[in-house]
Amino acid sequence: FMWKEAGTNCLHRPQTHALIQLLRAVLDEVAPQVALITETNVPHEENVSYFGDGYNEAQMVYNFSLPPLTLHAFHTGDASTLARWARDLTLPSDRVTFFNFLASHDGIGVTPARGILSADDIDALAERVEALGGFVSYKTNADGTQSVYELNVNYLDALGDPHTFEDDALAARRFLASQAIMLALRGVPGIYFHSLFGSRSWRAGVELRGQKRTINREKLQRERLELELQEGLRRRVFAGYRRLLQVRTTEMAFDPYGEQRILELHPSVFAVERCSGPAKVICLHNVSGEGVAVQLPGTGWTDLLTEKTLGSGEVAMSPYKVLWLK
């Protein structure tokens, strides 16, 4: 909405792109170390238009479709839609990449998933989030009707099953599987503070402030946080996240500008091969609460997360299991 023009919806006008191109040209000249990133919470095709030709606009765009599509995969136990979308993720040059995230100080926007998920799929996401204690924000359409705009909930809680008792171990394992998908994909990961520390939805904050987005904006006290990191859910999430980051930062295959290929191994397993030069890692993520078996290509794989060697052929993956294989 940077450029207003009467008689239009003032959205994505050519002058907006021209202004971004101007910013990019100036930055390239006076501060080439600075990356320009656009935060455009719109349908995917409109979002990626801010890469320009791959050289003249943003070096990174927020990957807004990733949060709702990942949530849909875990709700359904089926990664097929997420995989189809990821398979079509293309970049106009090797100078740009995605800024991948799942959670932020705002809610989970569903507009970027429209056209990828059906209206019924989005309504199902909203109903489940409400059943899990979250909130739904709506927008008013031109015809006066309302449609889901944003899911206001902590991402860890959003992944849950409202009909099943779940202990900390299960909640942490499932949450870390979702975060591993984000970390495995090509791009730069954006990790929300509350995700790193395994926070939950803060409903009391919504009652206190009267704003739905407050549910994911709790201010944590350092002493209490340090105490809670010694055991329970926070400890499980933080320790697991640290391990994922340790592996990611030491493996060349996870170069944000490296190559990416989506593999079809099982409907419940989101599988992506990452490559950079001679380095290659295959990342497998079981998005379901059921155990599955996958057939690995080739032999001699080692799981980077556990440093265990896997046998050749079929590998069993327990519910929400993550394998990063080299």
Side-chain angles (χ1 to χ4, degrees):
F1 297 105
M2 186 184 291
W3 190 271
K4 308 299 183 183
E5 186 175 350
T8 75
N9 61 7
C10 302
L11 185 60
H12 312 307
R13 303 306 298 160
Q15 295 91 337
T16 296
H17 287 278
L19 286 167
I20 294 172
Q21 291 166 18
L22 172 61
L23 290 172
R24 173 66 183 272
V26 172
L27 287 170
D28 284 350
E29 184 66 27
V30 302
Q33 76 280 8
V34 174
L36 186 62
I37 179 171
T38 53
E39 184 181 353
T40 46
N41 190 356
V42 293
H44 181 73
E45 291 304 318
E46 299 172 24
N47 188 31
V48 296
S49 70
Y50 289 91
F51 281 132
D53 64 8
Y55 301 93
N56 66 342
E57 292 193 35
Q59 284 101 334
M60 287 188 284
V61 299
Y62 271 76
N63 205 350
F64 275 107
S65 298
L66 183 60
L69 293 180
T70 301
L71 185 62
H72 173 265
F74 280 86
H75 279 191
T76 61
D78 189 338
S80 300
T81 301
L82 176 64
R84 282 195 300 271
W85 166 79
R87 191 177 301 116
D88 293 334
L89 287 180
T90 58
L91 296 171
S93 77
D94 59 1
R95 301 284 298 279
V96 298
T97 195
F98 287 103
F99 184 75
N100 296 318
F101 78 109
L102 289 179
S104 75
H105 63 289
D106 292 335
I108 303 168
V110 300
T111 299
R114 294 193 183 278
I116 305 171
L117 296 179
S118 69
D120 288 343
D121 288 334
I122 292 174
D123 288 342
L125 290 178
E127 290 174 9
R128 184 154 171 170
V129 162
E130 286 186 317
L132 288 163
F135 300 93
V136 178
S137 295
Y138 294 86
K139 70 170 184 175
T140 301
N141 303 311
D143 61 1
T145 61
Q146 288 194 319
S147 56
V148 178
Y149 173 75
E150 186 177 81
L151 310 177
N152 301 112
V153 64
N154 175 279
Y155 208 87
L156 188 153
D157 285 333
L159 294 165
D161 184 344
H163 306 296
T164 305
F165 171 77
E166 300 175 342
D167 59 19
D168 287 348
L170 173 61
R173 187 168 65 251
R174 180 177 55 214
F175 178 67
L176 289 169
S178 73
Q179 304 302 293
I181 290 175
M182 176 190 72
L183 295 174
L185 287 170
R186 174 171 53 190
V188 174
I191 302 167
Y192 188 41
F193 179 91
H194 285 295
S195 294
L196 185 64
F197 294 112
S199 295
R200 309 300 295 261
S201 293
W202 189 39
R203 287 183 59 90
V206 178
E207 298 175 6
L208 181 67
R209 307 280 170 77
Q211 297 288 336
K212 293 178 180 178
R213 284 178 168 177
T214 307
I215 197 169
N216 205 24
R217 297 179 178 181
E218 183 178 7
K219 303 295 191 295
L220 302 182
Q221 299 301 313
R222 176 172 173 171
E223 290 185 1
R224 179 182 172 187
L225 175 60
E226 290 178 341
L227 183 65
E228 291 176 345
L229 284 171
Q230 296 178 21
E231 60 181 3
L233 180 64
R234 288 197 188 276
R235 184 191 66 80
R236 291 178 183 274
V237 170
F238 185 60
Y241 226 131
R242 285 190 64 187
R243 182 56 185 160
L244 288 167
L245 292 173
Q246 286 170 347
V247 172
R248 190 186 189 281
T249 54
T250 55
E251 287 297 325
M252 184 187 300
F254 291 112
D255 181 343
Y257 296 90
E259 297 179 12
Q260 171 177 298
R261 185 166 67 98
I262 305 302
L263 308 177
E264 295 184 17
L265 301 180
H266 190 282
S268 294
V269 176
F270 182 78
V272 55
E273 179 184 82
R274 292 298 314 280
C275 301
S276 181
K280 180 173 72 173
V281 173
I282 291 180
C283 303
L284 310 180
H285 315 85
N286 183 3
V287 303
S288 77
E290 305 293 333
V292 301
V294 297
Q295 189 75 26
L296 291 180
T299 59
W301 296 100
T302 297
D303 178 22
L304 294 171
L305 298 172
T306 62
E307 299 182 347
K308 294 182 179 179
T309 300
L310 277 67
S312 59
E314 192 172 82
V315 173
M317 296 190 69
S318 57
Y320 308 117
K321 179 71 173 178
V322 174
L323 293 172
W324 282 1
L325 305 175
K326 185 176 182 179

